[in-house]
Amino acid sequence: VVLVGDNPASLSYIKRKESVAEATGFATFDFRFSASISQCDLEGELRLIREHPEIDGVLLQLPVPKGLNSDALIAVLGSDVDADGLHPFHQGTTLLGLDGHPRPCTPLGVMALIDLAFWKRSQKASADHENDFPATWPLPRADLSGLHAVVIGRSALVGKPVSMLLLERNASVSILHSRTVKPDVMSSQADILVAAVGQPELVGANWVKSGAIVIDVGINRGPTGKLVGDVLFDQVAPRCSAITPVPGGVGPMTVAMLMKNTFEIFERNIAQAESSEQTSKKRGE
Ligand code: NAP
């Protein structure tokens, strides 16, 4: 875990990530740097971290302080240790729908929550276990053929990659952003609505189609200082078939997907080490 500066929200996010990592059996290494570190010095430190023999995956906590270029830092870390799935190579493999590569964690978490909503729907239709969580993981991948998904937000962190994952599942996807005219009208046509805007409680009941699945990615401070999402939960919840809360919805799933990505990088590294050991043996080295 690499943290630059002491942004209180970032500190609380990494604390949660580290405690989940420890609880699930990962060794964690904490690298903290002052907000005044230069781009050049930080890049040098990241080069050392990425070469550390015991480290499989690196999380660079975003956002980094003003004056630092996060794109350049992610590029320096390289794709091999990219547990976040945010390196341009992995944005590319996500766009192309190539399997076997880390994908951005928050979009992966959003898709897992959509799968959960469909799984619960199927349980409700077939039995009386509607509140149970599935006993096995991963859940069946929901096929979104014929459904309209609307994503509000087009960031590289959430909006764009989650749109690609929805498209991969055969949804017809609309992406809205700050220049969209009448976003509420477009949003109210969605069977699946993903809000990744960063505007406290922007999405009211009139933005949501009755029976929609609503995934709220936003984490914002409301006027009273309370954590709220992009969706006005109390107004929207009665209209939809499933909705994620803030806090407690997408956030924990993002952390879970960070663990999944890291574990998969670890497995790949083990497989590569075994294969090069076998090659050396064959050559008699
Ligand atoms: P971002 O980079 O600021 O992007 C926000 C997007 O929303 C932009 O594409 C922007 O459009 C669009 N937008 C802003 N105002 C809008 C409006 N009134 N109508 C329609 N679109 C509008 O933010 P982000 O990094 O994607 O994060 C979004 C939210 O998710 C934030 O609250 C963040 O804290 C949260 N987040 C949560 C998690 C988690 O684990 N739960 C992870 C990542 C982010 P333009 O492109 O035109 O500016």
Side-chain angles (χ1 to χ4, degrees), residues 106 152-155 157 177-178 196-199 217-220 250-251 254:
T106 301
I152 317 178
R154 57 174 167 178
S155 70
L157 184 62
H177 46 79
S178 67
V197 196
Q199 302 278 344
V217 181
I219 303 177
N220 314 289
V250 174
T254 298

Side-chain angles (χ1 to χ4, degrees), residues 16-277:
R16 192 172 339 131
K17 286 167 184 171
E18 287 179 334
S19 81
V20 173
E22 276 161 30
T24 43
F26 289 88
T28 61
F29 300 82
D30 207 1
F31 299 93
R32 299 201 181 187
F33 301 102
S34 150
S36 62
I37 192 169
S38 70
Q39 178 84 21
C40 180
D41 286 350
L42 184 55
E43 288 183 8
E45 296 285 353
L46 294 181
R47 283 191 189 93
L48 294 175
I49 292 169
R50 77 175 184 203
E51 300 302 336
H52 191 300
E54 287 179 68
I55 290 177
D56 293 287
V58 178
L59 157 77
L60 171 64
Q61 183 63 43
L62 299 174
V64 290
K66 282 205 174 74
L68 294 170
N69 177 340
S70 59
D71 289 338
L73 297 172
I74 291 169
V76 163
L77 271 175
S79 60
D80 284 350
V81 294
D82 177 34
D84 255 341
L86 293 176
H87 187 276
F89 179 74
H90 292 138
Q91 294 279 16
T93 52
T94 300
L95 175 74
L96 295 171
L98 301 180
D99 286 332
H101 301 278
R103 289 175 166 193
C105 297
T106 301
L108 275 181
V110 168
M111 296 312 293
L113 287 163
I114 292 171
D115 289 340
L116 181 62
F118 275 84
W119 182 85
K120 286 197 170 196
R121 201 180 274 181
S122 71
Q123 293 296 298
K124 209 172 184 173
S126 67
D128 55 354
H129 300 309
E130 68 206 68
N131 291 320
D132 288 349
F133 275 87
T136 56
W137 185 265
L139 289 166
R141 286 157 63 96
D143 179 7
L144 308 180
S145 298
L147 299 180
H148 182 197
V150 170
V151 177
I152 317 178
R154 57 174 167 178
S155 70
L157 184 62
V158 190
K160 283 180 189 163
V162 84
S163 302
M164 292 305 111
L165 299 187
L166 288 159
L167 191 60
E168 190 178 66
R169 301 285 193 88
N170 302 319
S172 302
V173 184
S174 303
I175 307 172
L176 316 187
H177 46 79
S178 67
R179 311 292 176 90
T180 302
V181 177
K182 296 194 178 161
D184 51 335
V185 174
M186 293 189 71
S187 158
S188 68
Q189 293 163 14
D191 301 301
I192 297 169
L193 178 61
V194 179
V197 196
Q199 302 278 344
E201 301 181 326
L202 172 77
V203 176
N206 61 320
W207 290 58
V208 179
K209 180 173 162 179
S210 175
I213 292 172
V214 178
I215 310 289
D216 189 355
V217 181
I219 303 177
N220 314 289
R221 290 268 165 214
T224 60
K226 193 180 145 209
L227 270 193
V228 296
D230 292 340
V231 177
L232 196 47
F233 187 92
D234 291 344
Q235 272 190 21
V236 170
R239 284 187 70 72
C240 42
S241 62
I243 182 167
T244 60
V246 177
V250 174
M253 286 311 293
T254 298
V255 179
M257 295 302 144
L258 179 66
M259 303 304 133
K260 171 182 162 356
N261 277 352
T262 308
F263 186 70
E264 286 173 0
I265 298 171
F266 163 75
E267 281 186 315
R268 182 203 65 197
N269 289 346
I270 293 285
Q272 278 174 358
E274 283 173 2
S275 134
S276 66
E277 202 176 304

